[in-house]
Amino acid sequence: MIEQNSGIFNLSTQSTTYLFGVNKSGHLEHLYYGEHLCSTSISLDALSPILTNPLGIGIAYSETDPSMLEIVKQEISTPGKGDYRESAIELSYNDGMDTLDFIYSSHQILKGKSSIFTGLPQSYGDNTICDTLRITLKEKELKLRLILTYTTFNDCDVITRKATLYNDSPAEITIQNLASLQLDLDDSDWDLTTFDGAWARERHINRRPLTTGILINDSKSGVSSADHNPCIFLSRKDCNELHGECLATNLIYSGNHREAVEVSPYGQTRVLTGINSAGFRWKLAQDESFTTPEAILTYSNAGFSDLSKNLHYFANNHIVRGYWKNKQRPILINNWEATYFNFTESKLITLAKRAKEVGIELFVLDDGWFGDRQDDTSSLGDWSVNTKKLTSGMGAFAQKLHEMNLLFGLWVEPEMISRNSNLFDKHPDWAVIIPGRAPSVGRNQFILDLTKEEVREYLYTALSQIFTLGKVDYIKWDMNRTFSDIYSNNKAIRNMGEFNHRYILGLYALLNRLIKTFPKILFESCASGGNRFDLGMLSFMPQNWVSDDTDAYERLAIQEGTACGYPLSAMGCHVSAIPNHQTLRKSDLETRFNVAAFGNLGYELDMTKLSDFERDIIKDQIAFYKMYRNIFQYGTFVKLPSESNTTRWAVMDPQKANILILDYKRRLKPNPGLEILKVPITNISYTYEVYPRQQKLSIKDFGSLAENFIASSTGIENKKLEKVMKKMLHINTETVHYEVTGEYLAKCGIHLPQTFGGTGYDPHLTRVMPDGGSRIYLITRKK
Ligand code: GLA
């Protein structure tokens, strides 16, 4: 709901209120953001600072108005009028002047939200959920108009905002910075959490207290980046997963971004998010306009998991669109780590058969199927099938898979060009390289200049042909290097400071066209793993490869951080071989599954080399995942409190009828004493049954103890044991079962059985939990 009363704008969602007003000087003064307010009569005077004289060295707004913009909370801050904090808008006019002053002019309140694609992806929602406010501001002396557009999403407590600047004057101006969102807060008693990392360790949670000064979370590499995701959280000191006040911002954008969090000398906090001003210069001639990406804002007073719930709901319902929206995602096998570049058609078909046997639904052919690509030094750009590898051709190969009743998926990396390619020979100026300067290079490849219409046309045609030929059901859209040597000979570019943004606009235009032509293809975005995991890509591609790092232990931090801002349905998570190809660490197959199940499950190992034991395990895993797929992909995710050696995640359906808990032990602790599983999220008025998912243990894991345990647990005499052992490959994990009330589970917890400690083994009760051991507990509400 959006209302305007006596100059105060009230933007309310179910549980939050956002207030700002037009103050005496005509500025948009921010008043409040937080828990929902029921009062409708709100006075601007009571919520804004009252100054009779400027403070010390402070600058009064004018000779007749003593208010200091430096302490006024604003919706859009500008330079040159005494507010020395970070500005939301910076531009130069008249040969380098930069003073700006935007004053309220008019507004419109509209039902719903326009969802027309105008170059940048936007969130969407219908009239029953969304209201939109468009406020027009005018620069006091220049003929510039600024429109701030706010939309409320009542169903998930999200507010979005973007800004559009119009140049109504004959003089050209250059925009250096235009933030999508500004949020000014009264105090600085907040912690900032960012999601930081690098390749193979993306989006680790990084929380620290705010202190006077500016903290910048940004990307300058051309992509939203694994280094610093555009999503950030602010939270009160006492905020945890289940309690406390917190808020989040994010950006619907895939390129360079910048989030500035500034604590002013007066102890107020300013948050800004938008396109990164570093390297950004955008010329605006008469009658031209520039629109920022849309930013999102959400608030909760019930802890991080509730905040994430808002973000997940928003992404699933107002970002992801089209055929795959809220649809269950297929379980896939990807041949990359099984074969790398070294495959033949018959090897792939055997792999597909083995995958089908265990219940897999989608076969993904990764890198190496096109041009003359034997390694990563060639052929990007040559999107024609390599018939030496796929001897029957793309169409016939795909048909074989479809006849097996498997979906067919294909890897592409369209935004790139190898120097060693036919495309480079033909169009060297399509590569982003500065003429006359030795270019830097990433993974032996260059970026294609997607600002050019002819490049996008080429890609659209080449990709459409291949997608059609293979009747492709799924595309993994990869992007494996960041930007350097920015230059384009595209005549439409007036200034190289436009390049990065124009590139992203080019990418979005291409994706928009392809997705319209192939609405049923399931696209998964990838950028050397999770180097471009953002709401911009999710607007076109419903899922994203989380990380190249599939080590179960590493994935705990990566998935946990990713799930703070993005739903599990967006997260590609695979079970891979051991030793793990990124870390050489070994985790057992059940644990690899238990972690990968919290997202879109896939396998990325050579299934032709599985032992019978492993095949049986995988079959059971897939059957289990299929039973609870909707919860694993669309359930509410909560990180449960646990001691530092343990990770506990929960995912559940909205009614809390089925709750799945991951219980992961980093290091085995001998003779650990009591261990309690507390689930403070159950519905306390119901009774629940609790079971661990049945996992398999290899007899070999017991080493020379195996004979003793089997003898004692089965009663078989020593003489016959050797024979029995040969047949007996595995045993099942404990079969413990509890029936308890939700209240008991939430408040007291259940005692888990003793872990294996060298003093004996009860096949029904003893929990074998080695380093990196884990279980999934299934908690089901009784009818
Ligand atoms: C990137 C991806 C991998 C794989 C390779 C293929 O590294 O992240 O998953 O597709 O490219 O070259």
Side-chain angles (χ1 to χ4, degrees), residues 128-402:
T128 60
I129 292 160
C130 296
D131 292 293
T132 296
L133 166 67
R134 279 163 55 91
I135 299 221
T136 303
L137 304 160
K138 285 194 175 151
E139 213 291 324
K140 266 189 145 173
E141 304 300 333
L142 307 170
K143 288 197 164 150
L144 299 176
R145 255 178 314 138
L146 183 64
I147 298 194
L148 301 180
T149 307
Y150 298 80
T151 298
T152 51
F153 288 79
N154 200 39
D155 55 352
C156 52
D157 292 326
V158 164
I159 296 173
T160 63
R161 195 184 101 167
K162 63 180 178 179
T164 305
L165 183 67
Y166 292 85
N167 185 0
D168 299 326
S169 82
E172 187 176 82
I173 57 164
T174 304
I175 307 173
Q176 289 155 2
N177 177 29
L178 181 53
S180 300
L181 172 81
Q182 170 169 345
L183 178 67
D184 280 2
L185 300 162
D186 280 320
D187 65 84
S188 57
D189 198 20
W190 298 92
D191 285 350
L192 169 68
T193 300
T194 52
F195 302 95
D196 306 323
W199 174 77
R201 50 182 167 80
E202 294 89 342
R203 290 173 296 286
H204 283 218
I205 297 171
N206 179 6
R207 177 175 179 175
R208 73 293 231 172
L210 290 186
T211 171
T212 306
I214 307 173
L215 273 160
I216 302 292
N217 178 71
D218 80 341
S219 159
K220 303 185 194 77
S221 59
V223 289
S224 51
S225 95
D227 307 357
H228 308 288
N229 193 266
C231 182
I232 62 168
F233 286 5
L234 286 187
S235 55
R236 293 299 186 187
K237 308 278 168 220
D238 60 352
C239 180
N240 61 29
E241 281 305 306
L242 299 170
H243 304 282
E245 215 188 356
C246 46
L247 60 92
T249 72
N250 203 349
L251 206 57
I252 308 177
Y253 193 59
S254 311
N256 290 339
H257 62 92
R258 181 177 193 261
E259 291 67 48
V261 182
E262 176 170 13
V263 175
S264 77
Y266 299 100
Q268 293 169 314
T269 300
R270 169 165 294 168
V271 182
L272 291 165
T273 177
I275 293 178
N276 201 332
S277 52
F280 177 80
R281 295 287 176 273
W282 193 278
K283 291 199 186 233
L284 213 58
Q286 184 171 18
D287 295 333
E288 287 184 344
S289 67
F290 180 85
T291 299
T292 68
E294 195 176 20
I296 82 163
L297 179 65
T298 186
Y299 166 92
S300 168
N301 61 4
F304 295 122
S305 54
D306 195 54
L307 193 72
S308 298
K309 192 171 151 192
N310 294 347
L311 293 166
H312 293 185
Y313 188 93
F314 181 77
N316 276 329
N317 294 285
H318 302 300
I319 290 287
V320 171
R321 58 204 79 196
Y323 182 77
W324 286 95
K325 176 178 174 177
N326 286 323
K327 278 219 170 62
Q328 293 196 355
R329 309 292 163 73
I331 303 166
L332 65 82
I333 172 82
N334 179 306
N335 76 307
W336 177 240
E337 290 197 0
T339 66
Y340 293 102
F341 294 101
N342 185 18
F343 57 82
T344 58
E345 181 169 331
S346 77
K347 168 78 192 187
L348 296 179
I349 293 293
T350 317
L351 182 60
K353 278 186 186 147
R354 296 292 91 83
K356 177 72 194 167
E357 281 160 16
V358 291
I360 279 173
E361 300 154 328
L362 161 66
F363 180 90
V364 180
L365 172 54
D366 210 280
D367 197 352
W369 58 265
F370 53 92
D372 187 24
R373 186 131 160 119
Q374 311 301 341
D375 54 33
D376 63 16
T377 60
S378 86
S379 304
L380 290 169
D382 298 345
W383 298 110
S384 54
V385 65
N386 179 336
T387 45
K388 283 190 199 131
K389 286 186 181 178
L390 292 191
T391 39
S392 15
M394 180 61 79
F397 174 69
Q399 197 182 340
K400 286 184 195 171
L401 296 167
H402 284 141

Side-chain angles (χ1 to χ4, degrees), residues 1-12 17-20 31 36-44 47:
M1 178 214 69
I2 299 182
E3 281 175 351
Q4 188 271 140
N5 265 320
S6 326
I8 296 196
F9 294 92
N10 181 335
L11 284 66
S12 281
T17 295
Y18 185 102
L19 296 177
F20 62 93
L31 301 172
H36 187 261
L37 302 178
C38 301
S39 343
T40 45
S41 71
I42 299 148
S43 133
L44 198 137
L47 292 170

Side-chain angles (χ1 to χ4, degrees), residues 608-625:
T608 66
K609 293 193 178 133
L610 293 179
S611 66
D612 292 347
F613 173 56
E614 290 169 322
R615 201 169 12 259
D616 287 350
I617 290 182
I618 291 179
K619 236 186 195 164
D620 288 353
Q621 293 174 344
I622 289 177
F624 180 81
Y625 184 82

Side-chain angles (χ1 to χ4, degrees), residues 199 334 336 341 366-367 373 411 413 443 476 478 480 526-529 545 548 604:
W199 174 77
N334 179 306
W336 177 240
F341 294 101
D366 210 280
D367 197 352
R373 186 131 160 119
W411 178 98
E413 196 181 355
R443 210 190 180 199
K476 178 176 173 188
D478 211 340
N480 281 317
C526 170
S528 303
W545 180 220
D548 278 350
E604 189 155 343

Side-chain angles (χ1 to χ4, degrees), residues 461-482:
T461 309
L463 295 171
S464 298
Q465 271 166 11
I466 219 70
F467 294 178
T468 308
L469 195 63
K471 294 199 174 68
V472 169
D473 305 292
Y474 162 106
I475 286 293
K476 178 176 173 188
W477 182 290
D478 211 340
M479 199 279 186
N480 281 317
R481 65 155 288 183
T482 47

Side-chain angles (χ1 to χ4, degrees), residues 447-466:
I447 292 176
L448 271 175
D449 186 351
L450 258 59
T451 70
K452 292 180 177 167
E453 178 71 46
E454 65 269 31
V455 173
R456 299 199 297 268
E457 194 58 42
Y458 165 75
L459 288 174
Y460 175 79
T461 309
L463 295 171
S464 298
Q465 271 166 11
I466 219 70

